[in-house]
Amino acid sequence: MKKPYSIMMTGLLSVALLAGCTSGNGNSGTNTPGTNGETNTPPTTEQTELPSKTFTALLDNNATFPYTADWPIWKWLKEKTGVTLDVQTPSGKLGESLNLAIASNNLPDLMYMPNRRESNKFGQQGALVDILEYVDQMPNLSSWMEQYPEESKAALSADGKMYMFPNQGFGETNRMIWLYRQDIFEAEGLAAPATFDELYEALKKLKAKYPDTYPLSLRYGQIPDEMNTNLAVNFGVGEGAYYDFESKEWLYGPVQDNYKALVEKWKTFYDEGLIPPDFLSLQTKQWQDMMSTSQAFVTIDYISRVDFFNNAMQKDNPSYNMQFMPPPAGVPGVPQHNPYLHYMEGGLTVASTSKHIEDIMQYMDFFFSEEGRVLTSWGVEGETYEKEGDTYKFKPEFTDVTEMRKQTGLQTSGTYAWIDYNAHLSLFSEDLQNAYTEAAKYDPANMQPRPAFTEEENEIISLTGQAIKKHRDESFAKFVTGSRDLAEWDSYVAELENLGLQKLLDTYKAAYDRQQNVELKVN
């Protein structure tokens, strides 16, 4: 018998920073899983020995680690669970393959979906299983949900069901930071700036010394939303709709006074040649060339760029030194924060048409056990890692995360749900390990909520929200480049309001209130 996982309505619950989401908290990156600052680690539950079973699965395929049935991870999982996956990978884009599978009603048992919006949509259409209906058969997932209640709540759809398995740990790969050429700053007697005013002064000095450069360069044209998010947080607001934990209300960042201060500062950078004149269209290749040839010295990007640049450039230029830079505060009184982007949106789902639902749930429960976490993070003792006291350590032949994943299949699509990110950290350079340690000090006290939306709410976000976003982006470009005078700021705010700004904020509030009024509890 399956027993439903009940949803109890309670008063508003405050959103706390997800426990254990940050791995860079001062450890060496090789601590025993479950001991890196986390508490109440779920106990490993002995798995019932299963007869050999095969489930079909549609998984994503990454060009960096192209799927192979020969990866050791599949053998290790079968040894622990008795399960073999008959894997299909998309011939083109994953989204297209998912749409075709759903439309045909010929669904594989397991499907990897890139985000919760997709899984919630297909789940509400009846194509996916509500995992909560089987959680009484999943002792490890049940314990995990008690340990990570906010992460579990974020996995819920607007109808209070869970169509995608939650995940935790791997999102650290999405952490974004400020980076700077420490060697250049030191050579010019400059300290890392703590405020945007100090950043401005440093950039001016670098421009004077190196007039053919643009000291600050971002790949705005490639990932504009991520760049806007980072800059907005530096000024204490959101890049769009965001929850203000002090006033306990939803606000729109780009109409706030602090956002105007951001635009003013960016216009100054533009006018004085401190950023590239084509910054709005700058693509990854152009940006990489600027950063690697000393045409720019400060940037914002994914934290892995520390090793990306240093490993490549120090071969010919040993003094080249890209390092973590604390995020500068945009205006007085605003804390130095980076945005909390280090979470995962994708994950595994179960088809409602599967004939093996209960067996699949038992299989997936293994991934939320401590034993499953170690296996999917580190592999097998003696084969991929060695244990020294309370410390896990990859064997000497594994020196690079990408190569480790290529060789073993660890942390590839469909092979993990809850991982110990210290496994990755242990293979990073000392500089990158230090960047993770330092970056964690600048995490916001609260993570921005990620409420699930109904179909009607998604339509408002798609239509009204996109119209507002388009006008915001166009206005930002005009204000910065001078084609629109900042004296027209109040008119710009009124224009956004006329496009339905309050309707958009009301939509976020309704979805957030619905999510916060839910408490997960086992009957």
Side-chain angles (χ1 to χ4, degrees):
M1 290 289 291
K2 56 184 181 181
K3 179 174 63 178
Y5 207 84
S6 68
I7 300 176
M8 305 294 293
M9 303 305 293
T10 65
L12 290 178
L13 301 175
S14 63
V15 176
L17 184 64
L18 302 182
C21 265
T22 301
S23 297
N25 55 0
N27 60 55
S28 66
T30 57
N31 285 4
T32 302
T35 63
N36 61 335
E38 299 171 0
T39 59
N40 300 322
T41 301
T44 300
T45 301
E46 193 70 30
Q47 298 288 312
T48 303
E49 185 174 346
L50 291 174
S52 227
K53 288 189 178 292
T54 299
F55 307 139
T56 54
L58 173 61
L59 304 180
D60 201 5
N61 203 14
N62 190 306
T64 306
F65 340 97
Y67 165 79
T68 171
D70 296 329
W71 274 331
I73 183 62
W74 304 123
K75 174 174 71 78
W76 299 333
L77 285 171
K78 183 175 183 181
E79 289 171 352
K80 293 295 182 182
T81 66
V83 169
T84 298
L85 293 186
D86 178 8
V87 174
Q88 311 163 37
T89 57
S91 56
K93 295 181 178 179
L94 175 63
E96 294 173 355
S97 295
L98 287 169
N99 286 330
L100 285 173
I102 299 292
S104 69
N105 204 34
N106 183 22
L107 306 179
D109 298 311
L110 281 162
M111 290 175 284
Y112 180 88
M113 295 201 177
N115 56 66
R116 298 196 185 283
R117 180 170 180 175
E118 291 293 296
S119 62
N120 291 342
K121 177 182 72 174
F122 292 134
Q124 290 169 22
Q125 291 173 1
L128 304 178
V129 172
D130 176 14
I131 297 162
L132 297 182
E133 292 188 1
Y134 296 85
V135 86
D136 67 309
Q137 302 173 25
M138 307 175 74
N140 295 309
L141 177 58
S142 180
S143 295
W144 187 94
M145 291 172 70
E146 290 179 9
Q147 182 179 350
Y148 297 103
E150 297 302 329
E151 188 73 56
S152 301
K153 222 188 309 186
L156 296 179
S157 64
D159 59 3
K161 297 179 180 180
M162 184 183 289
Y163 297 113
M164 179 190 288
F165 287 99
N167 58 68
Q168 196 274 335
F170 196 72
E172 280 290 336
T173 59
N174 294 328
R175 185 181 281 274
M176 297 191 80
I177 62 169
W178 282 80
L179 303 106
Y180 77 125
R181 284 285 300 279
Q182 190 178 70
D183 56 316
I184 298 295
F185 270 65
E186 289 179 349
E188 302 307 324
L190 299 173
T195 67
F196 259 73
D197 287 340
E198 292 178 9
L199 175 63
Y200 171 61
E201 294 300 326
L203 296 178
K204 282 201 303 180
K205 290 178 180 177
L206 291 171
K207 182 72 174 182
K209 181 66 181 289
Y210 308 100
D212 295 331
T213 69
Y214 296 101
L216 172 60
S217 179
L218 312 179
R219 51 188 184 123
Y220 229 113
Q222 190 79 33
I223 48 173
D225 291 344
E226 288 85 345
M227 294 298 106
N228 286 331
T229 297
N230 277 272
L231 294 171
V233 166
N234 297 152
F235 282 76
V237 296
E239 62 89 25
Y242 72 103
Y243 187 74
D244 184 272
F245 287 94
E246 290 188 9
S247 65
K248 293 182 171 32
E249 60 182 334
W250 282 88
L251 304 173
Y252 192 71
V255 301
Q256 306 298 316
D257 288 343
N258 282 11
Y259 194 89
K260 182 182 180 183
L262 162 61
V263 175
E264 290 171 336
K265 187 64 72 177
W266 213 247
K267 176 169 172 49
T268 299
F269 290 173
Y270 179 85
D271 289 344
E272 298 189 19
L274 305 179
I275 57 177
D278 59 347
F279 78 95
L280 286 168
S281 61
L282 205 64
Q283 299 295 305
T284 298
K285 179 62 167 60
Q286 299 167 280
W287 167 77
Q288 286 178 180
D289 288 346
M290 292 186 71
M291 299 307 301
S292 61
T293 59
S294 298
Q295 294 300 301
F297 312 110
V298 182
T299 191
I300 300 171
D301 217 271
Y302 293 103
I303 193 169
S304 61
R305 293 292 185 175
V306 171
D307 277 1
F308 175 86
F309 283 113
N310 287 341
N311 290 346
M313 302 311 302
Q314 288 175 359
K315 294 174 183 176
D316 296 323
N317 180 10
S319 64
Y320 187 102
N321 192 15
M322 184 72 74
Q323 294 293 335
F324 165 83
M325 188 181 93
V331 291
V334 169
Q336 291 177 262
H337 281 160
N338 287 316
Y340 200 109
L341 300 174
H342 30 292
Y343 53 83
M344 285 289 289
E345 281 288 329
L348 288 170
T349 64
V350 182
S352 59
T353 56
S354 173
K355 298 178 181 178
H356 311 287
I357 293 175
E358 293 193 0
D359 288 337
I360 291 171
M361 294 300 173
Q362 187 173 7
Y363 168 69
M364 289 302 303
D365 193 50
F366 172 75
F367 289 85
F368 295 92
S369 68
E370 188 62 43
E371 183 182 15
R373 186 184 188 217
V374 171
L375 176 68
T376 58
S377 303
W378 296 91
V380 173
E381 185 172 6
E383 291 188 47
T384 54
Y385 74 89
E386 297 166 345
K387 191 175 178 183
E388 300 175 359
D390 289 336
T391 298
Y392 285 60
K393 184 177 180 181
F394 276 112
K395 295 185 72 175
E397 56 263 39
F398 298 104
T399 59
D400 176 83
V401 170
T402 300
E403 290 304 313
M404 179 273 289
R405 294 171 71 187
K406 282 182 182 179
Q407 292 176 40
T408 64
L410 288 169
Q411 295 103 52
T412 57
S413 179
T415 67
Y416 67 92
W418 180 37
I419 73 159
D420 174 25
Y421 198 69
N422 286 327
H424 281 212
L425 285 175
S426 71
L427 296 178
F428 292 155
S429 70
E430 185 176 339
D431 285 338
L432 186 49
Q433 289 181 10
N434 179 67
Y436 270 97
T437 300
E438 292 301 308
K441 299 175 183 177
Y442 298 94
D443 282 345
N446 297 291
M447 179 181 175
Q448 277 295 305
R450 291 177 284 149
F453 299 101
T454 64
E455 187 175 343
E456 181 181 354
E457 289 166 346
N458 273 322
E459 186 174 353
I460 292 172
I461 291 170
S462 296
L463 297 178
T464 304
Q466 284 303 307
I468 291 170
K469 181 177 182 293
K470 183 174 183 288
H471 190 63
R472 176 205 71 184
D473 291 344
E474 291 173 349
S475 300
F476 175 81
K478 290 176 181 178
F479 284 137
V480 171
T481 59
S483 61
R484 185 173 187 180
D485 198 305
L486 266 167
E488 297 181 26
W489 179 264
D490 290 343
S491 296
Y492 150 76
V493 171
E495 290 158 8
L496 291 183
E497 291 173 345
N498 290 336
L499 286 171
L501 181 55
Q502 190 57 52
K503 181 180 182 181
L504 180 68
L505 293 176
D506 290 344
T507 300
Y508 273 88
K509 182 180 184 305
Y512 173 74
D513 288 348
R514 183 173 58 242
Q515 180 193 61
Q516 292 307 102
N517 282 335
V518 169
E519 180 183 10
L520 297 172
K521 192 173 182 180
V522 178
N523 280 339

